[in-house]
Amino acid sequence: MSNATTLTLEPAVGSRLRAVLRETEYEFIRLVRTRAFSLSVIGFPLVFFLLFGLRAHDAETTRYLIAGYSCFGLGSACLFGIGLGIAMERAQGWLELKWASPMPRLAYLAAKMVSSAAFALIVTALLIGLGITLGDATVSLSQGLRLAAIILLGSVPFTALGLLIAMWVPPNSGPGIINLLYIPISFASGFWMPLRLLPHWLQAIAPALPTYHLAELALAVFGLAPRTGALTHWLVLAGFTLLMFAAAWITFVRKEHQA
Amino acid sequence: MPAIADAARIEPTGSHAPELIASLHAVSKRYGGRTALDGVSLELRRGEVVALLGPNGAGKTTAVKLLLGLLSPASGSVRVLGRDPRSSAARVAIGAMLQVARVPDMLTVREQIELFRSYYPRPLPTPEVLRLAGLSAIEHQRFGTLSGGQRQRALFALAVCGDPDLVCLDEPTVGLDIHSRRQVWEQVSTLAAAGKAVLLTTHYLEEADALAHRIVLINQGRLVREGTPAQIKQGVAGRRIRCRTRLAPDALRALPAVTSAEASEAGVVIFTQDPEAVLRRMLTEDPGLSDLEVTTASLDEAFLALTTA
């Protein structure tokens, strides 16, 4: 009996895994070919970094913006890749066709999350590369890996937020709405410049933003933020993730019910 | 769970009819206050094409979505291979073509087929899918560059690439020219010959007639009539009577063998299978009847009369 179970289960697990890998591979290819996505998600942080991050004899600014723009790239990749991506496929009826197929449910979300995280890591790698070669920054291997790990883990809360956005945002006005929310939030979280340079009221709001906690973790890699708060930052991000997933799930079930 | 699906496939049905693949049993579905389906039952057997025929808003798409497990019924039951269509064992046995407003532009025909193949435990080889759907020449084109007919064929390929037992095609020929439409027809016939159960929705009687072994006529969520194309045509065909009369359409509809009666500017238009009997009654009851014209009703006309309330 146990033999029969393993015999029937193994191909099923194998084919599921194959489906997840295929889904991820083609989602990544799709995003690369979608120029509006790939050029802006990679292009914006790089251009801003070239403009503001490479001042001579200012290694601290360079390293600050490597961390900050890595977070910014991660947010754009997830909000546009996952949030707008799902919103559009939902509106076009494409999501429904996929839902009618035996596609493993998790493969769809996993593919979008892994692909967006891959874009974010590309941004991080390019920023470090530019910072070292064109700027005065020194980034050790361990710092680079720690930053990459934070960006990778940070893709989870952003995926959850992207999912919630996908449930609400109308696909046509999606890019505008996402930018309108995301750009100010990224400023107020310290992605662009140290919080101490921002108005006091903004500094007071910042700890309420999950993105602030992500930025603090990324900046701490270069000693630009205190390391002592790391546990709190991770807990806030974990709580935010659960909250977003729950809100997205409730919205999804409600819309299903109305349909 | 492919092994379980296999067991279901070889299970003897115990009757001479081909194996039952999918069924709706007394299914009702409401959206808000509107009834989309009202007590509809439907059976799909191996090797047959069933056309779900009706005007827009009749409940055709709802029936398809119930079979695909995209909706759950308010009452009644839906089964695919004896299982809930939401179960993974049933889902790997279903292929679907839905009305999609846009397809993600950036993947090629071949890539999209490979992706959908990966969802199924025993898919057809990619070259065979391409050949079956007539896509071999355009396999490396991106979806965004396809013409309407090519796009429908590509969506068809996605529905069949997993070698499913049940294929649901929701309006597969909508918006296609006659040439592309005939290509789809040929592909559907091939599917049935290969032993699939095919459910196809359409609002063209001609299409249902050309393709289906059985036609299920629905209107406003209710099953109006069911039978072979010949039976349906016999049932709906007949004569069209036009005349000026003081008899009210309501009274005319109550006469035996009258399918429909509508008042128009040119007089009353009546569809009936027994024009002589109807006319005899009308002339008796209204001696002033004038401008009489009796013609053979075209199938489409008769069908339209049956499905517009």
Side-chain angles (χ1 to χ4, degrees), chain A residues 163-184:
Chain A
L163 207 55
L164 183 64
I165 286 176
M167 296 292 153
W168 286 104
V169 94
N172 287 331
S173 48
I177 293 177
I178 292 173
N179 273 328
L180 202 62
L181 286 172
Y182 181 53
I183 303 281

Side-chain angles (χ1 to χ4, degrees), chain A residues 140-209:
Chain A
S140 72
L141 182 64
S142 133
Q143 283 173 329
L145 290 178
R146 263 154 58 210
L147 181 59
I150 286 165
I151 294 300
L152 204 56
L153 281 170
S155 69
V156 180
F158 270 120
T159 298
L161 176 62
L163 207 55
L164 183 64
I165 286 176
M167 296 292 153
W168 286 104
V169 94
N172 287 331
S173 48
I177 293 177
I178 292 173
N179 273 328
L180 202 62
L181 286 172
Y182 181 53
I183 303 281
I185 285 175
S186 70
F187 258 105
S189 306
F191 288 4
W192 296 77
M193 57 185 73
L195 282 178
R196 62 185 148 76
L197 302 180
L198 295 175
H200 280 290
W201 63 272
L202 263 184
Q203 293 181 37
I205 293 174
L209 301 169

Side-chain angles (χ1 to χ4, degrees), chain B residues 2-25:
Chain B
I4 295 173
D6 259 355
R9 250 175 249 171
I10 52 175
E11 208 170 46
T13 49
S15 71
H16 294 298
E19 180 198 350
L20 182 67
I21 299 288
S23 64
L24 297 181
H25 181 71

Side-chain angles (χ1 to χ4, degrees), chain A residues 24-93:
Chain A
T24 308
E25 177 191 348
Y26 284 128
E27 174 66 12
F28 187 71
I29 292 175
R30 189 184 73 80
L31 288 177
V32 170
R33 289 184 191 159
T34 308
R35 294 277 191 272
F37 176 84
S38 49
L39 285 184
S40 64
V41 164
I42 297 179
F44 278 127
L46 288 194
V47 169
F48 285 124
F49 185 70
L50 290 172
L51 286 175
F52 306 124
L54 295 175
R55 278 180 295 188
H57 314 299
D58 190 0
E60 190 180 314
T61 300
T62 306
R63 298 211 294 181
Y64 188 98
L65 288 181
I66 289 175
Y69 287 163
S70 289
C71 294
F72 181 72
L74 170 65
S76 325
C78 290
L79 297 186
F80 286 98
I82 298 169
L84 191 63
I86 296 179
M88 286 179 77
E89 292 184 358
R90 199 164 61 86
Q92 293 162 356

